Amino acid sequence: MGRAPCCDKNGLKKGPWTPEEDLKLTDYIQKHGYGNWRTLPKNAGLQRCGKSCRLRWTNYLRPDIKRGRFSFEEEETIIQLHSILGNKWSAIAGRLPGRTDNEIKNYWNTHIRKRLLRMGIDPVTHSPRLDLLDLSSIISSSLYNSSQINISRLLGVHPTLVNPELMRLATSLMSSQRDQNQNQNYHAHQNVQHHQHHQINQICNQQEAEQFQYQQQQQIMDHHPEVVEQFQTNFSNFTNQNDHWQSNEMPSSNLTQEDYVPIPTSHYSYYGGSCNNSDQTVVMDPSISSVTNSNNNFSFASVLSTPSSSPTPLHSNSTTYNISTEDHEIESYCSEMLKFEIQDILDDVGEFM
DNA sequence: AATTTCCCCAACCGCGAAGTT
DNA sequence: TAACTTCGCGGTTGGGGAAAT
């Protein structure tokens, strides 16, 4: 009921628009406006359905549409809004002047989402997930830089010999810990309906997936309760740190800021034109980032997408950047961070083996 | 240089909400 | 109030260009 007739039924044209069609549509709308999309194509002399005309106008021909790559600020806004609104692309687009919902949706699916997945960030919940993390890249990165964590040393064995059951256990424990924290967030953010929706879905889906792992975990936990307890403590520290970040706070424990700050030796000089080789320390400090961000809404995702030291890219007249280099730099940065955080976890796993 | 594979994005599809008769 | 129309949204697709082989 209520569905507009399909283009096929009326023998209307489909597929890419020609310049002539664009001209007809633009001319007509400039003269008459775009009130009734159903009758518009006939009046404009187009062999298209109204739906197709509306889409072409709103996504491409509209004069106020901004073209070109997304800026840092735009990408940061998208990630922040998505963490609150979920896949409400039109709502997100409403806060990004000149960008269409379709454009934002495409950009999310082709760039941001993939990047978050590669970095081990769940693109739905915006939470770090060990099971999504590309561990091989971390391992190779670590081995590449001998001054940093040596996985083989940590585990005492070759990385390929890690028991997959242990990795599943680690994943599940972290998911479980995260669910608890998400439930807390759920109560603390009841005014954000879309966020709630995604968190609930996430929990439900994870419950199904975790049933599969439960029996194996139970066996391990029955035989080594002390190790599991220590393991959970470490994961608790890990997730609590991230929760503090997401809630605009520094952790209130006795840990110093340095405990949360990875200090890459060479990353991100790409962004900071003023960086020099002798002082390339990049401090991931929420307080600094919140100053950088005008809206003062710090988030974990925001940190991942925005270097705190200098928001000025190399390109001169805008904040547009090179996507491929950008991806690599952000991944490297996040990889450093997660590598830093999982050190204790891997220690425990090593002992457990 | 030719072929294959990968990736991006414009456009389509199906559905639900809101409005109209 | 039910039937119908129109609009808008989110998910998905496939054509075409770029990159890899």
Side-chain angles (χ1 to χ4, degrees):
Chain A
M1 182 179 82
R3 188 176 306 167
C6 176
C7 300
D8 292 337
K9 291 179 182 176
N10 298 328
L12 299 175
K13 188 181 175 186
K14 292 166 62 178
W17 281 64
T18 65
E20 291 75 20
E21 288 177 312
D22 284 345
L23 193 61
K24 280 184 181 179
L25 181 59
T26 305
D27 282 348
Y28 181 86
I29 290 177
Q30 283 176 349
K31 289 175 184 173
H32 305 94
Y34 51 88
N36 189 337
W37 288 111
R38 187 171 176 78
T39 59
L40 186 148
K42 184 181 177 182
N43 295 335
L46 289 162
Q47 297 297 310
R48 295 271 183 176
C49 67
K51 201 172 183 177
S52 180
C53 292
R54 178 177 56 81
L55 224 60
R56 184 63 178 173
W57 174 258
T58 56
N59 287 339
Y60 197 83
L61 297 175
R62 234 174 53 203
D64 59 329
I65 286 180
K66 189 192 291 184
R67 292 280 157 204
R69 292 188 181 281
F70 282 75
S71 67
F72 260 127
E73 288 77 11
E74 286 176 316
E75 181 169 334
E76 182 180 348
T77 301
I78 291 170
I79 294 173
Q80 287 183 341
L81 288 173
H82 186 272
S83 71
I84 298 170
L85 300 170
N87 291 0
K88 302 294 181 186
W89 306 117
S90 61
I92 295 172
R95 289 160 178 79
L96 283 168
R99 299 295 187 182
T100 69
D101 55 351
N102 204 41
E103 193 177 13
I104 293 168
K105 178 174 60 182
N106 282 333
Y107 188 69
W108 177 270
N109 287 327
T110 56
H111 294 98
I112 301 175
R113 184 177 176 278
K114 289 178 182 177
R115 186 188 306 154
L116 291 177
L117 284 171
R118 283 199 299 269
M119 295 189 304
I121 306 296
D122 189 326
V124 176
T125 64
H126 294 250
S127 301
R129 286 182 60 177
L130 190 59
D131 56 330
L132 293 177
L133 188 63
D134 183 0
L135 289 172
S136 62
S137 67
I138 290 178
I139 291 169
S140 62
S141 176
S142 290
L143 294 176
Y144 175 77
N145 188 344
S146 61
S147 67
Q148 295 167 348
I149 298 169
N150 186 321
I151 302 296
S152 298
R153 179 182 60 77
L154 281 171
L155 299 182
V157 296
H158 191 276
T160 58
L161 298 179
V162 174
N163 187 336
E165 288 186 2
L166 287 171
M167 293 311 296
R168 280 201 294 271
L169 173 61
T171 298
S172 179
L173 287 174
M174 191 167 107
S175 295
S176 175
Q177 185 68 48
R178 187 182 63 250
D179 284 351
Q180 292 175 17
N181 292 326
Q182 283 180 340
N183 279 329
Q184 293 167 6
N185 290 337
Y186 175 80
H187 294 296
H189 297 88
Q190 288 187 5
N191 58 329
V192 188
Q193 295 180 359
H194 295 295
H195 199 186
Q196 289 175 1
H197 176 71
H198 281 288
Q199 288 184 335
I200 291 168
N201 280 345
Q202 172 70 16
I203 291 168
C204 292
N205 292 335
Q206 283 175 353
Q207 284 174 343
E208 289 179 14
E210 286 167 8
Q211 282 179 354
F212 170 76
Q213 303 172 355
Y214 179 75
Q215 288 184 333
Q216 290 176 315
Q217 295 161 11
Q218 203 61 44
Q219 289 178 1
I220 298 172
M221 294 167 78
D222 287 344
H223 289 90
H224 303 278
E226 73 288 351
V227 175
V228 171
E229 184 180 353
Q230 177 63 36
F231 206 40
Q232 284 182 308
T233 300
N234 287 335
F235 271 117
S236 177
N237 291 337
F238 173 75
T239 53
N240 284 341
Q241 288 166 22
N242 288 328
D243 283 351
H244 280 294
W245 288 359
Q246 296 224 36
S247 59
N248 297 354
E249 297 171 4
M250 281 298 289
S252 58
S253 70
N254 58 357
L255 293 170
T256 66
Q257 194 178 71
E258 294 299 319
D259 290 310
Y260 298 90
V261 177
I263 307 178
T265 55
S266 60
H267 295 303
Y268 271 64
S269 58
Y270 170 82
Y271 297 108
S274 61
C275 274
N276 57 51
N277 290 333
S278 63
D279 184 16
Q280 290 180 325
T281 299
V282 177
V283 177
M284 195 171 70
D285 179 354
S287 62
I288 296 174
S289 182
S290 66
V291 170
T292 306
N293 299 332
S294 59
N295 59 8
N296 237 17
N297 286 330
F298 177 82
S299 74
F300 186 71
S302 171
V303 171
L304 299 181
S305 65
T306 307
S308 59
S309 58
S310 172
T312 308
L314 287 179
H315 303 290
S316 59
N317 60 347
S318 75
T319 50
T320 302
Y321 51 86
N322 181 302
I323 291 293
S324 58
T325 308
E326 157 80 356
D327 284 350
H328 177 260
E329 294 292 337
I330 291 178
E331 281 180 49
S332 298
Y333 187 59
C334 184
S335 181
E336 295 292 336
M337 179 184 67
L338 290 169
K339 191 163 44 184
F340 175 86
E341 297 286 0
I342 66 174
Q343 180 173 5
D344 290 342
I345 297 167
L346 291 174
D347 275 332
D348 283 338
V349 171
E351 291 173 16
F352 197 31
M353 294 182 62

